[in-house]
Amino acid sequence: MKAAYREDLIPAYRVKRDDGGMSLMFRCPHCRAVHCHGEPDGERSVVTGRGAGCHDPLSPWFGRGYRLMIVGAVRSSKQLPSNGAADIVALNEAMADR
Ligand SMILES: [Zn+2]
């Protein structure tokens, strides 16, 4: 049985922080901010149950959670590519049957 609601899957990048630790970041197409989340220990490609960092009530993720799919790494948050909201919808549709 499928869950009625699945948290969106979002492409995220590993970024080394100034303090040497690793974070997972992506540029949010809804609120335009860079969202930064901790990376759990161990090799995982999908990180579940992250509370959305959106402070924009118009964002579909506001007050909800999402899953981060680690798709690469960048040197700094300034190099994060922008994902369009439509790209993320397309990704989730493509992954929905799996
Ligand atoms: Zn946001």
Side-chain angles (χ1 to χ4, degrees):
M1 188 177 148
K2 271 191 174 178
Y5 161 63
R6 288 184 70 176
E7 294 181 331
D8 278 346
L9 200 55
I10 300 167
Y13 295 80
R14 285 195 172 99
V15 184
K16 198 170 188 180
R17 296 191 307 263
D18 290 342
D19 66 4
M22 280 292 186
S23 287
L24 300 177
M25 299 187 191
F26 73 97
R27 194 175 297 282
C28 179
H30 298 295
C31 69
R32 301 282 162 194
V34 170
H35 291 318
C36 178
H37 296 277
E39 181 180 12
D41 291 335
E43 284 294 312
R44 265 187 267 181
S45 58
V46 174
V47 177
T48 58
R50 287 291 177 266
C54 287
H55 298 294
D56 182 351
L58 295 177
S59 166
W61 301 323
F62 180 77
R64 294 168 77 168
Y66 43 51
R67 296 173 294 157
L68 301 174
M69 184 170 74
I70 303 169
V71 294
V74 294
R75 282 181 184 275
S76 90
S77 59
K78 293 185 186 70
Q79 295 176 338
L80 287 170
S82 3
N83 292 299
D87 295 335
I88 293 176
V89 169
L91 171 74
N92 281 272
E93 285 173 354
M95 301 291 278
D97 297 332
R98 303 197 183 179

